[in-house]
Amino acid sequence: MKTKYLLSFVAFWALLIVGTDTTSAQLRLGVKGGVDIDSKKLDLKTLKASNHLGYYIGPTLEFVVPVSGFGGDIAVLYGRKEYKISDLQSDATLSDYNYISIPVNIKQRIRFVGLGLFVSGGVYGNVKVSGGDIKIEDAGDVWKEYKSKNFIFGIGAGAGVTLFSKLDLGVYFRGDLTENYKDEYMDADVFQNKKNQRWSVGLNYYF
């Protein structure tokens, strides 16, 4: 299933390039990075946790047709989410989540009164590297464990400004379309299997 989604990403971007006049398209390699700006709480009944630190960084490739400003980008990002557990929840743990994210977007660059603006939107896939697992003490020394899924699929969108022609500063939204935990691990009496939605501030530098 993971391979199917990843191949779909590549095909999506390839069709975008084929459907665009690439003879005049500008290809740029860069570095993308960002930090989460919201505190995303997990909706648990016996565990209260918030994402107090989240970030991502990695290489990105962009192509844009100069005249129209239309194009797209693809990136391979390493991401991490660190969770803070409520002091009252000593009977539960939530491990920090590490992942590789592959976002594929279409993009439109706009010149407005001498100012460079951009909007983008597309899909992404997150491949779990480690963490994200929940452990809750059920009775005495007996612990229940809920493992996070190895692959998450979602959609994203963003907008921002271009600075000095090489820097993009933007605000981005990402929302998972798939559940974070496998159905066989679900227990309605323990927590709700919510999908993550988060905002981040990102900076892209193009060489």
Side-chain angles (χ1 to χ4, degrees):
M1 184 62 69
K2 289 186 292 184
T3 304
K4 175 182 176 182
Y5 281 126
L6 292 175
L7 289 177
S8 298
F9 295 162
V10 175
F12 173 83
W13 211 62
L15 288 173
L16 182 61
I17 294 177
V18 171
T20 306
D21 182 9
T22 56
T23 58
S24 60
Q26 183 182 52
L27 285 170
R28 296 196 298 175
L29 181 65
V31 176
K32 179 191 291 283
V35 293
D36 293 339
I37 57 176
D38 61 343
S39 179
K40 180 59 183 176
K41 295 182 178 179
L42 296 182
D43 197 5
L44 313 179
K45 292 184 179 179
T46 61
L47 170 64
K48 295 184 182 297
S50 61
N51 171 212
H52 68 99
L53 176 61
Y55 63 85
Y56 55 88
I57 188 169
T60 182
L61 180 65
E62 177 197 67
F63 84 93
V64 172
V65 178
V67 176
S68 67
F70 176 78
D73 62 51
I74 185 171
V76 179
L77 309 172
Y78 167 78
R80 178 177 175 83
K81 295 182 181 300
E82 297 180 1
Y83 294 98
K84 181 180 180 180
I85 305 297
S86 169
D87 294 337
L88 300 178
Q89 302 295 324
S90 59
D91 58 346
T93 65
L94 174 56
S95 57
D96 295 337
Y97 180 61
N98 300 279
Y99 63 96
I100 299 296
S101 182
I102 304 177
V104 182
N105 298 297
I106 58 174
K107 177 180 289 184
Q108 180 66 53
R109 291 191 175 276
I110 306 166
R111 296 294 299 180
F112 180 73
V113 193
L115 184 64
L117 307 174
F118 70 89
V119 292
S120 65
V123 296
Y124 65 84
N126 291 347
V127 180
K128 173 183 172 180
V129 175
S130 63
D133 301 331
I134 297 171
K135 289 184 179 180
I136 299 176
E137 188 175 7
D138 187 35
D141 294 330
V142 179
W143 289 75
K144 286 186 177 180
E145 184 172 5
Y146 303 86
K147 290 186 175 294
S148 59
K149 281 189 174 182
N150 292 324
F151 183 80
I152 297 295
F153 178 74
I155 58 174
V161 298
T162 300
L163 308 172
F164 311 112
S165 76
K166 289 190 174 183
L167 289 173
D168 281 349
L169 177 63
V171 177
Y172 301 90
F173 170 82
R174 288 172 290 169
D176 298 341
L177 296 178
T178 54
E179 301 288 359
N180 299 316
Y181 296 90
K182 298 179 181 178
D183 292 338
E184 59 263 34
Y185 290 108
M186 289 305 303
D187 184 345
D189 293 333
V190 176
F191 64 94
Q192 299 173 9
N193 191 11
K194 297 202 71 173
K195 302 170 186 175
N196 280 328
Q197 296 180 345
R198 54 206 173 276
W199 291 88
S200 65
V201 172
L203 184 66
N204 299 352
Y205 175 79
Y206 295 101
F207 303 108

